């Protein structure tokens, strides 16, 4: 981790291997889909995804959950895990999972709901709501926070966060405290002039939401998203406690950590298990509005469908969410960053979504433009993605993710063999 782990699915490859909450093998790098003799309908599809999930486990992932709904029938749901991890918990497709930076999509949705209600405007300067709390706050708008063009330094890059990220410091981080960590650093560039993924943007968004509504982020997620949609396993974590059956997340212990992981990140807190550390009891609160939501593959599919079909936002605000800026200035037609959501194009289709990474939990959730198709890949280990330190897992994850996105679009994926 360069502890940037609350990161974006459409980030360039160099950034992809560095994140938040993130996925080292991002979808934009997905292999071209080619017709395969093995492609013979839904069962062949399902068998191929299960084979690729098993290959990812064989490559070193303690567990993986896959869910794909192509909008044409019964969704594919797969849960595979390493034999040694079964002693701790039998992984199921409906298990709760720490979603990391996918949280940003929900936070942006709540902001846009308040915009529709006339309580906020995307053109509002941060200074209006958080006077004196953000450097250059008069020139930074809420839109810039939401699409990562503010220039604010990423608080997860500050050494003060490392003990919390590694589970060694259980202090409770508030939006204000996380914002203060990022705000004490010089801005990276003038507001609105470039794009740079920064979790500090969403710490600020969290503080604005709390100020405007007078409610906690946990209440806002519950009342504006989870309850209206019937998401029984989706909540903003206010501590390390889970509410339902959940996936166990693991990282290698110090002796088994890949050599590419720096010394400062090799000792993760948790219970030792078969050369790994069970990090399930660590507090994700340092992710705040940038990454503290817990959900399931099924719940997130329902959320994406409601969001992209217009159930959660009026048409004008949904259009604002989908208005993007280039992630890479050298590729103006490449991956784009919208408001709490990213988009990218693969040979099988153009997706919208986000990903997230927090120790023990790597998640990617994508959908099509209408919400009629959804897909999720959840991997129960994450540090390998931060430094690109495990080529075997990275290769297996890329193959699975390529197949998943093609399956979502109802197209044959490259041969799994």
């Amino acid at each position: 981790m360069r502890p940037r782990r609350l990161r974006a699915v459409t980030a360039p490859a160099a950034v992809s291997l560095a994140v938040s909450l993130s996925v080292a093998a991002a979808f934009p790098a997905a292999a071209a889909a080619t017709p395969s003799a093995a492609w013979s309908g839904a069962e062949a599809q399902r068998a191929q995804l299960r084979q690729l999930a098993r290959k990812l486990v064989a490559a070193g992932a303690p567990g993986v959950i896959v869910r794909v709904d192509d909008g044409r029938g019964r969704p594919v749901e797969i849960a595979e895990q390493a034999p040694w991890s079964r002693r701790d918990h039998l992984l199921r497709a409906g298990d709760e999972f720490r979603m990391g930076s996918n949280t940003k999509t929900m936070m942006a949705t709540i902001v846009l709901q308040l915009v529709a209600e006339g309580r906020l405007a995307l053109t509002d300067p941060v200074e209006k709501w958080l006077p004196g709390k953000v450097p250059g706050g008069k020139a930074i708008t809420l839109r810039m926070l939401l699409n990562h063009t503010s220039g604010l330094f990423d608080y997860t890059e500050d050494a003060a966060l490392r003990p919390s990220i590694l589970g060694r410091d259980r202090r409770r981080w508030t939006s204000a405290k996380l914002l203060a960590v990022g705000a004490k650093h010089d801005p990276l560039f003038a507001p609105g002039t470039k794009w740079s993924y920064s979790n500090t943007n969403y710490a600020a968004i969290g503080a604005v939401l709390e100020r405007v509504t007078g409610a906690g982020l946990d209440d806002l997620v519950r009342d504006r998203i989870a309850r209206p949609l019937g998401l029984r396993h989706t909540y903003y974590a206010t501590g390390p406690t889970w509410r339902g059956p959940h996936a166990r997340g693991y990282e290698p212990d110090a002796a088994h950590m890949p050599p590419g992981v720096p010394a400062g990140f090799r000792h993760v807190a948790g219970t030792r298990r078969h050369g790994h550390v069970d990090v399930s009891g660590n507090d994700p609160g340092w992710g705040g509005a940038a990454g503290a939501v817990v959900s399931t593959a099924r719940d997130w599919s329902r959320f994406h469908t409601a969001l992209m079909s217009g159930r959660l936002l009026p048409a004008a605000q949904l259009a604002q969410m989908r208005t993007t800026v280039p992630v890479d200035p050298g590729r103006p037609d490449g991956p784009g960053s919208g408001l709490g959501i990213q988009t990218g194009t693969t040979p099988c289709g153009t997706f919208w979504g986000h990903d997230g990474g927090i120790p023990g939990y790597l998640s990617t959730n994508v959908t099509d433009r209408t919400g009629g198709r959804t897909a999720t890949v959840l991997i129960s280990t994450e540090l390998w993605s931060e430094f690109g330190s495990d080529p075997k897992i990275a290769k297996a994850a890329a193959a699975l993710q390529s197949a998943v996105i093609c399956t979502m679009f109802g197209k044959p994926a490259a041969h799994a063999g």
Side-chain angles (χ1 to χ4, degrees), residues 321-413:
M321 175 176 268
R322 291 186 182 132
T323 300
T324 64
V325 295
V327 167
D328 180 355
R331 298 176 60 199
D333 297 326
S337 178
L339 307 186
I341 199 166
Q342 285 81 39
T343 188
T345 299
T346 75
C348 289
T350 297
F351 67 86
W352 293 82
H354 214 290
D355 70 350
I358 196 165
Y361 300 90
L362 194 61
S363 55
T364 301
N365 294 290
V366 296
T367 183
D368 65 2
R369 186 176 179 84
T370 68
R373 303 170 184 266
T374 62
T376 290
V377 177
L378 309 176
I379 304 172
S380 56
T381 189
E382 187 264 347
L383 286 186
W384 62 273
S385 74
E386 300 292 344
F387 302 102
S389 60
D390 195 321
K392 285 181 61 179
I393 292 183
K395 181 179 179 181
L400 175 60
Q401 291 168 341
S402 274
V404 162
I405 200 168
C406 287
T407 300
M408 182 183 82
F409 282 111
K411 296 181 180 179

Side-chain angles (χ1 to χ4, degrees), residues 58-103:
V64 59
I65 293 171
V66 174
R67 188 180 195 278
V68 185
D69 187 347
D70 66 2
R72 299 185 299 180
R74 183 166 62 93
V76 175
E77 292 189 333
I78 295 168
E80 294 288 340
Q81 67 186 124
W84 60 262
S85 70
R86 292 175 178 268
R87 301 178 188 177
D88 298 335
H89 170 68
L90 184 62
L91 187 67
R92 300 186 186 280
D95 281 350
E96 292 178 0
F97 204 88
R98 288 179 178 154
M99 289 294 178
S101 278
N102 291 281
T103 298

Side-chain angles (χ1 to χ4, degrees), residues 33-41 44 48 411-417:
T34 57
S36 166
W39 182 264
S40 59
Q48 181 191 40
K411 296 181 180 179
H415 182 56

